[in-house]
């Protein structure tokens, strides 16, 4: 009888302790690190700069201020200096990617995917990034960056657009209550020299 009582109490103890398991809180787990991948468009710009630097292209620069245009050929060093302004914006974005929301959609009419990054905070200077990818290769066809900021009573907007293997442009707009001013710098390297 004593053995049965001890066995019964032992089983009862195991049963009671196992019933209490459901009420115990699980230890807090550390959230997983953000593994989201963003398209490395800074690498694309670096590759484009190298692409031009390693070839013998005629590089044309057109500067349009309001309605006046001036066109000239520039050398590779001048090209690299201008292209680095776009690369610097991309490199700066890399350290702030967590401040952007990503969306992706497919455009059947252009056989491309568009990746869009929009700033979560309206105070961030770089507000929007649009990347058009070739549907078959996932290689960039076009890249658009839009910066916006206010200084004193003037709203500045700077839009960068890059057409893969052909050129880029930077459009800067100043909107003041008393005047508007637009400057466009367009760089093209469409043809090898001598052709």
């Amino acid at each position: 009888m004593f053995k049965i009582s001890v066995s019964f109490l032992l089983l009862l103890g195991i049963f009671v302790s196992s019933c209490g398991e459901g009420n115990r809180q699980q230890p807090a787990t550390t959230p997983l690190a953000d593994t989201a991948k963003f398209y490395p468009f800074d690498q694309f710009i670096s590759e484009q700069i190298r692409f031009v630097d390693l070839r013998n292209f005629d590089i044309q620069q057109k500067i349009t201020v309001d309605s006046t245009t001036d066109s000239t050929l520039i050398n590779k060093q001048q090209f690299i200096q201008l292209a680095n302004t776009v690369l610097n914006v991309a490199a700066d974005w890399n350290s702030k990617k967590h401040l952007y929301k990503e969306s992706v959609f497919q455009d059947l009419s252009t056989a491309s995917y568009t990746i869009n990054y929009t700033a979560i905070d309206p105070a961030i200077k770089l507000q929007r990034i649009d990347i058009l990818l070739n549907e078959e290769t996932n290689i960039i066809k076009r890249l658009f960056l839009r910066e916006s900021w206010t200084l004193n009573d003037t709203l500045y907007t700077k839009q960068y657009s890059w057409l893969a293997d052909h050129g880029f442009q930077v459009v800067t707009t100043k909107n003041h209550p008393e005047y508007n001013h637009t400057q466009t710098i367009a760089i093209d390297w469409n043809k090898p020299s001598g052709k």
Side-chain angles (χ1 to χ4, degrees):
M1 176 82 170
F2 179 74
K3 286 184 183 180
I4 295 174
S5 297
V6 171
S7 298
F8 177 75
L9 288 175
L10 185 61
L11 284 173
L12 183 63
I14 292 170
F15 178 75
V16 169
S17 67
S18 67
C19 288
E21 289 289 324
N23 294 336
R24 242 192 275 170
Q25 291 184 346
Q26 295 294 323
T29 57
T30 307
L32 296 174
D34 182 10
T35 57
K37 301 290 183 197
F38 292 91
Y39 198 93
F41 67 90
D42 57 329
Q43 292 176 13
F44 163 76
I45 296 169
S46 293
E47 290 166 6
Q48 289 284 290
I49 293 170
R50 278 193 300 276
F51 175 78
V52 174
D53 191 32
L54 295 173
R55 286 161 180 80
N56 194 24
F57 290 133
D58 285 333
I59 306 168
Q60 183 176 36
Q61 172 183 271
K62 287 183 185 176
I63 299 176
T64 303
V65 178
D66 296 324
S67 60
T68 305
T69 301
D70 182 35
S71 182
T72 184
L73 291 178
I74 60 173
N75 62 37
K76 287 181 186 179
Q77 194 58 40
Q78 292 167 309
F79 162 78
I80 291 170
Q81 184 178 4
L82 290 165
N84 276 336
T85 62
V86 185
L87 183 59
N88 291 338
V89 172
D92 184 51
W93 176 79
N94 258 338
S95 65
K96 299 174 183 168
K97 290 188 279 195
H98 62 284
L99 300 174
Y100 290 81
K101 179 180 70 171
E102 179 185 65
S103 62
V104 180
F105 64 91
Q106 183 179 18
D107 185 347
L108 297 174
S109 66
T110 62
S112 63
Y113 293 105
T114 299
I115 302 173
N116 170 262
Y117 300 107
T118 306
I120 297 167
D121 182 354
I124 295 174
K125 188 174 178 182
L126 180 59
Q127 281 293 299
R128 186 177 173 97
I129 301 160
D130 292 301
I131 303 169
L132 273 66
L133 301 176
N134 181 300
E135 188 176 65
E136 293 176 6
T137 63
N138 285 337
I139 295 174
I140 292 181
K141 298 189 321 187
R142 287 188 174 269
L143 171 67
F144 302 96
L145 311 172
R146 180 183 171 90
E147 292 182 321
S148 182
W149 69 98
T150 302
L151 182 62
N152 299 326
D153 53 356
T154 304
L155 172 64
Y156 293 85
T157 304
K158 191 173 273 196
Q159 298 186 101
Y160 306 86
S161 61
W162 199 294
L163 176 60
D165 301 332
H166 292 287
F168 71 92
Q169 71 176 11
V170 180
V171 180
T172 306
T173 305
K174 297 178 187 177
N175 290 322
H176 184 274
E178 297 177 13
Y179 66 87
N180 293 326
H181 174 71
T182 302
Q183 176 188 25
T184 303
I185 299 173
I187 308 295
D188 293 304
W189 59 86
N190 292 338
K191 297 183 257 181
S193 66
K195 289 191 178 180

